[in-house]
Amino acid sequence: MRDVDIRPLRDEDVDASYRLCAEVLFRVQSGEHEPVRAARQHARIRHLLETDPGGCWIAEHDGGVAGVAIALLREGVWGFSLFAVAEALQGRGVGRALFDRCWAYGADARGHIVLSSEHPAAMRRYARTGMPIRPCVAAGGIADLTRAPDLDGVEDAGEAGIALADAIGRELRGAGHGRDLHVPLAGGARLLVDSDRAFGLAREGHVILLGARDTAAAQRMLWALFATAGPGATVGVDFLSAGQDWALPVVLDAGLQLSPDGPMFAGGALGPMTPYVPSGAYL
């Protein structure tokens, strides 16, 4: 790795880091416009660079960004937010060096969470940390919203719902979400709440984050998030791990297809993590 420099990410690296992720990591959602996606991901990276500079690293090769890894710390819980390595450098130890910097950033954390891709090398790297593995499935398709229950009482709260999401996230994950939610909201996501029982964040029917204080509220919220897309639209939810069986009746009744997803690795002093759907960006 003599020709690769592992160094802290800087603001001028944000666009190149995004372009690398767009090439090797991100999946394009149906109907998504590239400038919109780029602006949203730039905001995500810049937000984490501001809140967690010690967890933001790149691999520089031939004067360009050839790897990026970003971790965050929230109230003693460490999460791995973003990870991509150029195909030409994969298998050369670049990914391991980046991950090790991010892992060190969480050395004193009481809990750790990684949402893995299905890439074998990534799963192997996370498994080496000793964190327990939680296999996951995803669900997607055109939702049959005629099967939805009465959703009266579910409100599109916007930023007014952040306090509830923060409180429920603290109960379920062991750390609140309040520090991060303004970023996806500014990027077009919608934050729904159901009295004081549940919150959910989605963009055009694709679930970003969900937490609830009971199973029934979690199921109502999942239906409500799908409904934000409107009839005939494609919806989806990822990282349904063991313990999230409450979600299966909803996705099956909605007519969605189940498929294998990358696993979650999670360990340490976390909350119960259910009923809960984690955020790929903010865990």
Side-chain angles (χ1 to χ4, degrees):
M1 288 206 337
R2 293 180 180 177
D3 56 345
V4 178
D5 180 26
I6 306 297
R7 64 167 176 81
L9 187 150
R10 299 189 290 258
D11 188 76
E12 58 264 33
D13 303 316
V14 169
D15 183 61
S17 297
Y18 161 70
R19 285 188 278 108
L20 173 65
C21 292
E23 179 182 338
V24 303
L25 180 63
F26 293 147
R27 293 177 296 179
V28 177
Q29 295 179 2
S30 177
E32 190 173 36
H33 297 290
E34 169 57 23
V36 174
R37 182 177 72 160
R40 189 171 68 244
Q41 294 298 335
H42 285 185
R44 166 192 177 178
I45 295 170
R46 284 198 167 96
H47 168 66
L48 293 172
L49 181 57
E50 178 182 348
T51 60
D52 297 86
C56 297
W57 297 86
I58 67 162
E60 190 172 38
H61 175 67
D62 286 343
V65 174
V68 58
I70 298 179
L72 57 85
L73 275 171
R74 296 293 179 266
E75 300 172 22
V77 173
W78 176 95
F80 198 36
S81 175
L82 191 63
F83 189 35
V85 176
E87 290 186 5
L89 293 183
Q90 291 178 12
R92 293 182 50 186
V94 174
R96 181 174 64 251
L98 285 167
F99 180 75
D100 286 350
R101 301 300 199 285
C102 288
W103 185 252
Y105 178 61
D108 296 327
R110 57 180 169 78
H112 298 81
I113 306 171
V114 175
L115 303 180
S116 177
S117 70
E118 297 176 77
H119 195 288
M123 290 189 280
R124 189 164 57 246
R125 187 168 297 114
Y126 306 144
R128 290 285 189 186
T129 67
M131 287 184 291
I133 187 172
R134 306 186 188 194
C136 297
V137 298
I142 297 175
D144 179 3
L145 298 178
T146 66
R147 304 290 301 276
D150 181 358
L151 298 176
D152 284 350
V154 177
E155 300 179 5
D156 193 341
E159 290 198 359
I162 290 178
L164 178 66
D166 196 42
I168 294 178
R170 191 167 292 113
E171 294 168 16
L172 298 179
R173 183 178 67 161
H177 291 283
R179 195 173 187 184
D180 302 308
L181 294 188
H182 69 278
V183 182
L185 284 172
R190 296 169 64 181
L191 178 58
L192 309 185
V193 300
D194 187 0
S195 62
D196 65 347
R197 297 170 60 201
F199 78 94
L201 189 72
R203 182 180 297 108
E204 298 178 351
H206 292 270
V207 177
I208 298 172
L209 177 67
L210 184 155
R213 287 176 164 140
D214 60 80
T215 294
Q219 291 175 329
R220 270 170 49 89
M221 182 54 65
L222 187 54
W223 273 114
L225 294 176
F226 291 157
T228 61
T234 298
V235 304
V237 57
D238 299 325
F239 296 110
L240 295 175
S241 65
Q244 312 308 333
D245 306 76
W246 59 268
L248 295 182
V250 177
V251 300
L252 295 176
D253 286 350
L256 306 186
Q257 297 295 315
L258 293 172
S259 61
D261 204 356
M264 173 193 292
F265 292 84
L270 300 168
M273 299 284 284
T274 187
Y276 186 68
V277 177
S279 160
Y282 305 113
L283 292 306

